[in-house]
Amino acid sequence: LFRSIAMTVDPNWEPSCAWAKSIWHGTPIAMNMAEPITATWGPNILYVEDPDRTAGLKVYLPSPGDTQLGARVGQVIYISGTMQLDSSGSGEPCIQASTYRTNLPGMPNVYLQPLQMAGRTINSKTGNNLGLDVKIAGIVKTVDSTGYFTVDDGSGPVKVDVDYSLTPAGFTVVDAAGVPHPSGGGFVFPQSGDYVSVEGIVSLEGSNPSTAIRCLRPWNSDGNILMSNDRSVPMHGNRNPDRKST
C-alpha cells in the first residue's frame, strides 16, 4: 500500500544563504534572488548576505578579475554554481559560481550596515553567523604583526585575521576626529591595550574542520576598514554615503 502525503509549498519561498548552507557539497545550486554583496577579496572572492541579515555566504566567481570588473560591494548578484566546502580545508561552506549576474536594469545598490556582535557570538560554533558582515568593539589583547590581533569586548577574544596577500591597502586607521592615519591608508597594527572597533566577515580559519576556529576577516573593497582607538567614537564606515541601516 502507498499512502499519499499532502505537502504545502509556500509560493513566496525564495532561496537564501541559510538554505544554501544546508545543501550537501557537490550539489548544483541557483540563487535566484538578489543577494547584496557585502565584501570582496582578491580577484574573484566575495561574500553575499541575505537582505534580512540572518545569514551570509562565501562565493568564488568563475574568473580572476571578476571582483574588479563585474562585482562590487553594494551590488546585488544572482548566482548559479555548485555548493562546496572551502578549498582551505576549514569546512566553511561556499558556492563555486559558474555564472552570475549583477544589478539588473532598474535595480538599486543595497548597502547593508554591519551587525554589532558580541565576541562570544562570533566564536560560537552553534550559530549561523558564518559569512555575516559584523563589527566588534573592545580591547586589543594580543598582537602578532605577521597577520593577526585579538579583540575582547568582555565576552571572549576574537581573532582578527589580516591577510597581507589580499588586503594590504584596504585598511584605514582613523583618529577620534575621523582623520585617516598619516601612513596614507596602509594598515597599521594596533597595540595591546588599545580600544578599537573593527568591521569584518565572520569566517573560518584552519585546514581541518574539526580544529578550525572562527575569526573576523576585514575586507578590502571600495571602502575601507576603519578602526578607532577612542572609546567615544563608534565604528563607522565610508563605503558609500547611501549605505542603509535595516
Side-chain angles (χ1 to χ4, degrees):
L1 293 177
F2 294 93
R3 183 175 60 180
S4 63
I5 300 175
M7 296 182 65
T8 301
V9 178
D10 183 353
N12 297 316
W13 179 86
E14 292 181 317
S16 65
C17 293
W19 166 79
K21 289 179 181 179
S22 69
I23 302 299
W24 187 251
H25 59 275
T27 303
I29 186 172
M31 300 289 283
N32 294 319
M33 67 175 291
E35 294 285 335
I37 299 173
T38 54
T40 65
W41 270 279
N44 69 326
I45 302 172
L46 57 80
Y47 275 85
V48 296
E49 193 167 309
D50 290 335
D52 62 4
R53 301 160 70 200
T54 54
L57 187 63
K58 189 175 189 177
V59 178
Y60 286 87
L61 297 183
S63 303
D66 279 347
T67 53
Q68 284 77 29
L69 300 176
R72 310 291 287 183
V73 168
Q75 291 184 328
V76 293
I77 188 169
Y78 296 80
I79 308 160
S80 294
T82 305
M83 280 303 300
Q84 301 285 2
L85 297 180
D86 193 75
S87 59
S88 66
S90 66
E92 182 172 355
C94 62
I95 296 179
Q96 180 63 59
S98 55
T99 62
Y100 70 96
R101 296 178 297 161
T102 57
N103 281 50
L104 297 181
M107 184 173 291
N109 285 359
V110 177
Y111 296 92
L112 298 178
Q113 289 279 4
L115 293 167
Q116 184 74 46
M117 190 169 286
R120 64 175 174 271
T121 304
I122 294 174
N123 289 328
S124 172
K125 294 184 178 180
T126 59
N128 194 31
N129 55 26
L130 275 179
L132 284 178
D133 182 22
V134 306
K135 61 181 178 180
I136 184 174
I139 303 296
V140 175
K141 292 296 186 180
T142 58
V143 178
D144 184 330
S145 59
T146 62
Y148 74 89
F149 58 95
T150 62
V151 178
D152 193 342
D153 64 354
S155 68
V158 172
K159 184 174 183 178
V160 179
D161 188 14
V162 180
D163 189 333
Y164 285 113
S165 66
L166 298 179
T167 57
F171 296 80
T172 296
V173 177
V174 298
D175 62 18
V179 178
H181 191 277
S183 64
F187 182 66
V188 178
F189 271 85
Q191 296 181 355
S192 179
D194 284 351
Y195 182 87
V196 299
S197 184
V198 186
E199 177 185 349
I201 301 293
V202 181
S203 184
L204 280 176
E205 179 185 80
S207 57
N208 188 311
S210 63
T211 57
I213 63 171
R214 304 255 169 157
C215 66
L216 198 61
R217 297 188 191 276
W219 55 275
N220 73 324
S221 190
D222 299 327
N224 299 313
I225 290 300
L226 299 183
M227 289 174 34
S228 172
N229 60 5
D230 187 307
R231 292 174 184 269
S232 65
V233 179
M235 193 290 182
H236 58 284
N238 69 340
R239 298 185 192 181
N240 187 292
D242 297 325
R243 191 176 185 195
K244 298 185 296 183
S245 178
T246 56

